[in-house]
Amino acid sequence: MKHWPSQLFPIIILSVLAGLTFWLQSAIDMGNDKHDSKFRHDPDGIAENYIVRRFDETGQVKYRLTGPYMVHYPDDDSSELKSPILISYRPDAPPITVTSNFAKVTSKGEVAYLWDDVRVTRAATPEQQELVARMPDLTVQTEAGFAFTNSPVEITQGQSWVTGVGAQIDNNKSTFVLQSQVKGQYIRPRSTP
């Protein structure tokens, strides 16, 4: 006479152990995914009062980026900045300063997205007054020396002003092109004796 319960008991125990092993392995695997920072947008570095300089082929400073606070994220190699100041230098033109309340810089610093009270300022020269452009956002291609926005723009130079929607700024050619709805007023600067 066969004892079925005694033969089923080892099979049940093995099935339970196999199930527990499978469950334990899946719990361990899920835990690794949750704690792997490559798949999360967690910072790996924070800098305060930073200065970043980029040099051209001749060793001259091409641009300088400064600010009070920067956070770097390793998953996409991007950085988020608070109150950044980007100054672009050219030997044959006055410096251009770009400021905003916030910015995000992509990997290797090739593109910067600035938003919230963006200002582009061209320093005054003996021949020209300071030029200030204000807009809500701006995308800057740092290596190319080019920037653009699709938002409203207001430019002032002395008492003259111009407004429009959308702009393209080419630092290499020293041009500022407004895209649409352009209007303004030009007031000739007074001659100094």
Side-chain angles (χ1 to χ4, degrees), residues 81-97:
L81 318 169
K82 290 184 181 175
S83 303
I85 301 170
L86 176 67
I87 304 174
S88 175
Y89 299 99
R90 283 185 30 214
D92 59 342
I96 303 289
T97 303

Side-chain angles (χ1 to χ4, degrees), residues 97 99 118-123 129-135 153-158 160-162 176:
T97 303
T99 62
V118 179
R119 293 175 182 248
V120 178
T121 305
R122 187 200 65 219
Q129 296 177 326
E130 179 183 71
L131 181 137
V132 178
R134 295 174 187 85
M135 61 212 73
V153 179
E154 175 187 290
I155 304 170
T156 57
Q157 185 174 15
S160 300
W161 60 271
V162 64
F176 203 116

Side-chain angles (χ1 to χ4, degrees), residues 164-177:
V165 175
Q168 295 180 353
I169 305 167
D170 189 339
N171 192 33
N172 303 312
K173 297 178 182 177
S174 296
T175 59
F176 203 116
V177 179

Side-chain angles (χ1 to χ4, degrees), residues 139-156:
T139 301
V140 179
Q141 298 170 345
T142 55
E143 294 301 314
F146 188 77
F148 62 91
T149 183
N150 293 322
S151 300
V153 179
E154 175 187 290
I155 304 170
T156 57

Side-chain angles (χ1 to χ4, degrees), residues 2-183:
K2 294 185 180 182
H3 297 284
W4 286 100
S6 62
Q7 291 176 350
L8 284 178
F9 183 72
I11 294 173
I12 292 172
I13 292 292
L14 285 175
S15 299
V16 168
L17 284 175
L20 285 174
T21 304
F22 178 75
W23 172 80
L24 184 59
Q25 182 64 40
S26 65
I28 290 172
D29 288 342
M30 285 178 25
N32 285 343
D33 288 344
K34 288 181 183 176
H35 299 293
D36 190 356
S37 63
K38 289 183 178 181
F39 300 111
R40 295 187 323 219
H41 195 64
D42 291 337
D44 69 343
I46 297 173
E48 293 182 352
N49 300 318
Y50 60 89
I51 299 174
V52 178
R53 292 182 183 96
R54 175 82 75 178
F55 298 91
D56 65 11
E57 307 80 36
T58 65
Q60 298 296 317
V61 176
K62 188 173 182 178
Y63 65 83
R64 183 178 70 176
L65 177 65
T66 62
Y69 191 77
M70 174 173 59
V71 178
H72 180 264
Y73 296 93
D75 61 331
D76 60 358
D77 198 25
S78 67
S79 297
E80 292 182 3
L81 318 169
K82 290 184 181 175
S83 303
I85 301 170
L86 176 67
I87 304 174
S88 175
Y89 299 99
R90 283 185 30 214
D92 59 342
I96 303 289
T97 303
V98 182
T99 62
S100 68
N101 290 335
F102 302 99
K104 181 175 182 175
V105 180
T106 61
S107 175
K108 299 178 185 174
E110 295 172 347
V111 179
Y113 303 99
L114 299 101
W115 68 94
D116 197 14
D117 193 27
V118 179
R119 293 175 182 248
V120 178
T121 305
R122 187 200 65 219
T125 66
E127 299 83 26
Q128 296 178 332
Q129 296 177 326
E130 179 183 71
L131 181 137
V132 178
R134 295 174 187 85
M135 61 212 73
D137 59 78
L138 184 68
T139 301
V140 179
Q141 298 170 345
T142 55
E143 294 301 314
F146 188 77
F148 62 91
T149 183
N150 293 322
S151 300
V153 179
E154 175 187 290
I155 304 170
T156 57
Q157 185 174 15
Q159 294 180 337
S160 300
W161 60 271
V162 64
T163 62
V165 175
Q168 295 180 353
I169 305 167
D170 189 339
N171 192 33
N172 303 312
K173 297 178 182 177
S174 296
T175 59
F176 203 116
V177 179
L178 294 175
Q179 301 296 320
S180 65
Q181 302 177 30
V182 179
K183 61 181 177 179

